[in-house]
Amino acid sequence: CGEKILLHQTTLGYEIPSFEFLAFLSIDISQKQYFGTYYETHCYAVSVGHIQEEHLSATFSFQDLRAASECLKDEDLFLLASRAKQILFWDKRTTFCGQCGTRTHLSPTEPAKVCPKCESLFYAQISPVVMVLINRGDKILLARSPYFPGEFHSVLAGFVEPGETAEQAVARETLEEVGLHIKNIRYVVSQPWAFPSNLMLGFTAEYESGEIKIDNAEIEHADWYTVDNLPVLPRKVSLARYLIDEFFKKT
C-alpha cells in the first residue's frame, strides 16, 4: 500500500502474509503481478488502495518497506519484498505504450509488456546508482543531503549518466558534490534498491586532493569522520552502511 508492506506478526516474528489473507482481511486489489517462486512458493506483487489500518486484524500491520528490513527475520524476504515493489512500479508506468499510446499487455513469453499495435516491448527499467566510500587515512567522508529524513549522514551517491562508466560517475559525482579529487576507485558490491527502482553499485576510493566545497544543492554538509565521532548512519540494510561498516572492520 503506497510505500508500505503488509506484514503478519506470528509467534516466530514478522512474516509476509499468504495470498488468502487478503480475502480474509477484505482487502481490494488494484494491481497484481506474478513474479516467480520462492522456495517453491508462488509469489505475487500486489498493490492495494487506501487501507484503514484500524480495520485490520491485530496481528497485521503495514510497515514502511525500509523499516520492514529490521522486522523480517530473513534478509531474502526483504529482497523479495523489494523486488515486488519494483515490479509494481514498472507495471504501473507501462500501462500504455510510450510510442503510440495503446494499452499494453503482458508478454506471454518473457517478463515484459508488449504493445498490440506497434509491437514495442517494455522491460523493467533499472537505474544504476553509484555510491562511494572515500577514505583519507583512518577518516571517511560522510555527507548529508537536504532530502534525507532525520539527521543521518551517508556516503556520496549519484546516478550514472549516459555515455560514462560507473567509475567515471564516481569521480564526477565526488567532484560536483564536494569538490574533491579521488584515486584508486574500486568496485566492491551491488544491491537492488526499490526506491523507486535502482541498482546500487558500491565503490571505495582514496582522497587525492582538494578541500571540501559542498554544492549546497545535493549536499548541505560534509566532513571527515573517524570511528570515534561518527554521525547518525544509514540503516544496516543499506549498501552505504555496509561500505561504512566494512571499512572500520579493517582499520
Side-chain angles (χ1 to χ4, degrees):
C1 183
E3 295 295 312
K4 295 183 177 183
I5 180 175
L6 182 66
L7 295 181
H8 183 204
Q9 188 173 14
T10 70
T11 55
L12 300 176
Y14 283 95
E15 298 178 351
I16 295 176
S18 300
F19 199 76
E20 61 266 19
F21 280 115
L22 295 183
F24 170 73
L25 297 169
S26 300
I27 294 177
D28 294 325
I29 297 171
S30 58
Q31 278 178 280
K32 183 176 75 172
Q33 284 285 347
Y34 177 77
F35 66 98
T37 58
Y38 176 74
Y39 293 106
E40 300 183 355
T41 299
H42 293 284
C43 297
Y44 292 84
V46 176
S47 179
V48 300
H50 179 69
I51 299 294
Q52 296 291 335
E53 295 201 37
E54 60 268 23
H55 296 163
L56 295 177
S57 169
T59 57
F60 291 87
S61 62
F62 279 95
Q63 304 276 353
D64 179 85
L65 185 54
R66 289 181 178 88
S69 65
E70 299 175 9
C71 298
L72 294 168
K73 59 184 181 296
D74 188 340
E75 183 180 353
D76 285 344
L77 290 179
F78 173 72
L79 294 176
L80 187 72
S82 296
R83 177 171 170 79
K85 184 177 183 300
Q86 292 184 68
I87 292 293
L88 292 173
F89 178 80
W90 162 75
D91 182 39
K92 187 174 182 179
R93 282 154 180 77
T94 54
T95 302
F96 298 96
C97 174
Q99 181 162 298
C100 71
T102 303
R103 182 178 287 274
T104 60
H105 299 155
L106 286 173
S107 168
T109 60
E110 57 184 329
K113 294 280 196 71
V114 60
C115 175
K117 184 176 180 180
C118 69
E119 299 183 346
S120 295
L121 280 173
F122 300 95
Y123 299 95
Q125 296 287 309
I126 304 298
S127 300
V129 177
V130 293
M131 308 189 79
V132 57
L133 183 137
I134 303 166
N135 78 284
R136 188 176 186 177
D138 64 347
K139 297 180 179 180
I140 63 172
L141 182 74
L142 296 175
R144 171 167 174 75
S145 166
Y147 306 109
F148 286 172
E151 295 298 325
F152 77 86
H153 286 56
S154 187
V155 301
L156 299 182
F159 289 96
V160 179
E161 294 185 352
E164 69 179 357
T165 66
E167 290 80 3
Q168 289 171 336
V170 168
R172 174 184 55 77
E173 286 287 345
T174 302
L175 187 59
E176 288 178 354
E177 294 188 348
V178 293
L180 299 179
H181 294 276
I182 54 177
K183 61 183 179 180
N184 296 331
I185 300 171
R186 296 178 182 177
Y187 170 76
V188 179
V189 68
S190 64
Q191 179 189 40
W193 195 243
F195 307 99
S197 191
N198 302 330
L199 177 63
M200 316 302 284
L201 306 171
F203 291 82
T204 60
E206 297 175 10
Y207 167 83
E208 183 175 46
S209 63
E211 297 297 328
I212 295 174
K213 186 178 179 181
I214 60 174
D215 65 1
N216 288 311
E218 295 295 325
I219 301 297
E220 64 180 12
H221 179 260
D223 206 346
W224 298 102
Y225 295 90
T226 66
V227 68
D228 298 320
N229 72 332
L230 291 173
V232 178
L233 299 178
R235 293 179 184 272
K236 285 188 174 294
V237 69
S238 67
L239 187 146
R241 182 61 178 271
Y242 173 84
L243 294 173
I244 295 168
D245 290 346
E246 285 300 301
F247 175 81
F248 286 120
K249 283 180 183 178
K250 299 172 183 177
T251 58

